[in-house]
Amino acid sequence: MTEAGLDKDSFQIIRNMKLEAMEKGFEIEVIGLNDFEKEKDKIVRESMEFINEEFEKKKNNYNMQKKIERSSKINSLRLEKMNQRNVLMEKLIVDTKEVLRSRICLPNNRQYQDLMKKLILQGMIKLMEPVVRLIVRKEDVAIVEKMIPEIEKHYKELMKKETDRDYETKLSVEQDKFMDKDNQKCGGVILTSENTKIVCLNSVDTRLELAYEELLPQVRSNLFPSLKQKKCIYEEKCQKK
């Protein structure tokens, strides 16, 4: 083999080696790019998943906080409404007592006089004592003294009719002791036994408060109807029209 032939073979070998190196380098570059893209996609996907998870957490926390705030606000409004209703209910009984005191429970009012007779008679039946003392308002002393004979007679007749036995009670009105004007403004009567050990409070204020407690659900329903009740009331008004 001549020197020229050796040079030609060497050149060819070198050329093939360069081509193979270039191909290998290109292959490595392609593989690297593919690995890079895969790793980039993985990082992007994991980052997006993390961001989505964080977003969902924050959204859930935000929604939960809003629900808590809304619930707290509703409870606060409900309590405020209940307090306002209680204030109105208390005002109702105060106003009712004032109307009774100023317009109805007057000594010269026939309705009040009839009520006093019934209150005294009821207290006598509860006590069933031979002697009963009556404590009334100062302004009621005169009218109560006038009705004592009638009440004693009525009591005797009623007890005879109901028990077929003779019962008799003597009534007397206290002249130096009167009902507390601060707590018993509307009148009525306090009955005591002769030794004052047995007491029957039968004042108008007390009877009003008892009636108020018994009718409280009905009063609340009438003053503060539910949506269903409002709808029924509205429908009834429409039908009447």
Side-chain angles (χ1 to χ4, degrees):
M1 181 177 293
T2 63
E3 186 176 350
L6 288 173
D7 290 340
K8 184 178 180 180
D9 290 340
S10 297
F11 176 78
Q12 188 67 33
I13 291 171
I14 293 170
R15 184 184 176 191
N16 290 337
M17 289 177 65
K18 286 182 177 181
L19 288 173
E20 186 177 350
M22 289 176 64
E23 290 176 355
K24 195 67 175 177
F26 180 74
E27 182 180 350
I28 292 172
E29 184 179 356
V30 171
I31 293 172
L33 288 173
N34 288 335
D35 291 342
F36 171 77
E37 289 297 329
K38 289 180 180 179
E39 188 65 23
K40 183 182 74 173
D41 290 343
K42 180 183 178 183
I43 293 172
V44 170
R45 185 176 63 256
E46 289 177 349
S47 298
M48 289 299 296
E49 289 176 354
F50 176 77
I51 292 172
N52 288 334
E53 288 178 1
E54 287 297 310
F55 176 77
E56 286 296 323
K57 286 181 181 178
K58 290 182 178 180
K59 184 177 76 172
N60 291 335
N61 290 336
Y62 175 80
N63 291 336
M64 182 62 69
Q65 186 64 32
K66 283 297 179 182
K67 288 180 179 179
I68 293 173
E69 291 177 0
R70 181 173 179 272
S71 178
S72 299
K73 189 173 182 180
I74 290 173
N75 289 334
S76 177
L77 290 173
R78 185 180 290 113
L79 288 174
E80 183 179 353
K81 182 171 71 173
M82 289 175 63
N83 289 334
Q84 290 296 325
R85 287 184 175 182
N86 288 335
V87 169
L88 292 174
M89 294 296 291
E90 291 174 1
K91 186 176 184 301
L92 173 65
I93 194 167
V94 170
D95 291 346
T96 302
K97 286 184 178 181
E98 181 60 28
V99 171
L100 287 171
R101 185 193 65 79
S102 60
R103 299 182 187 179
I104 299 175
C105 296
L106 304 173
N108 59 352
N109 188 324
R110 185 65 183 176
Q111 286 182 320
Y112 179 61
Q113 293 175 11
D114 291 340
L115 175 62
M116 285 292 288
K117 292 177 184 177
K118 292 176 182 177
L119 292 175
I120 294 171
L121 184 63
Q122 185 184 61
M124 293 169 68
I125 295 171
K126 286 184 178 180
L127 296 180
M128 294 185 65
E129 291 286 316
V131 177
V132 172
R133 295 178 177 179
L134 307 177
I135 302 174
V136 297
R137 297 183 304 182
K138 190 173 183 179
E139 58 265 36
D140 294 338
V141 171
I143 63 161
V144 173
E145 285 182 332
K146 289 180 181 179
M147 62 178 69
I148 282 179
E150 181 185 348
I151 297 173
E152 290 177 344
K153 181 181 178 183
H154 189 179
Y155 172 77
K156 185 176 180 180
E157 293 173 351
L158 179 64
M159 296 301 289
K160 180 66 175 178
K161 178 182 177 181
E162 296 296 331
T163 66
D164 198 27
R165 294 177 63 183
D166 292 324
Y167 286 92
E168 195 170 331
T169 297
K170 292 297 180 182
L171 299 174
S172 63
V173 182
E174 295 285 358
Q175 301 294 326
D176 55 356
K177 187 176 182 181
F178 308 104
M179 294 180 70
D180 185 358
K181 288 187 176 182
D182 293 331
N183 299 323
Q184 308 296 336
K185 295 180 180 180
C186 298
V189 61
I190 300 174
L191 302 93
T192 70
S193 59
E194 188 175 16
N195 58 12
T196 68
K197 289 185 178 181
I198 306 174
V199 179
C200 175
L201 177 58
N202 220 10
S203 67
V204 175
D205 296 78
T206 304
R207 299 303 296 269
L208 175 63
E209 289 167 3
L210 288 173
Y212 173 80
E213 291 177 3
E214 290 178 2
L215 298 174
L216 185 58
Q218 183 178 342
V219 173
R220 283 186 179 276
S221 178
N222 290 336
L223 292 178
F224 313 110
S226 63
L227 291 175
K228 186 177 180 180
Q229 289 174 318
K230 288 180 180 179
K231 184 179 178 181
C232 292
I233 294 171
Y234 176 75
E235 290 176 351
E236 287 178 2
K237 288 183 178 179
C238 291
Q239 289 176 357
K240 290 180 180 179
K241 291 181 180 180

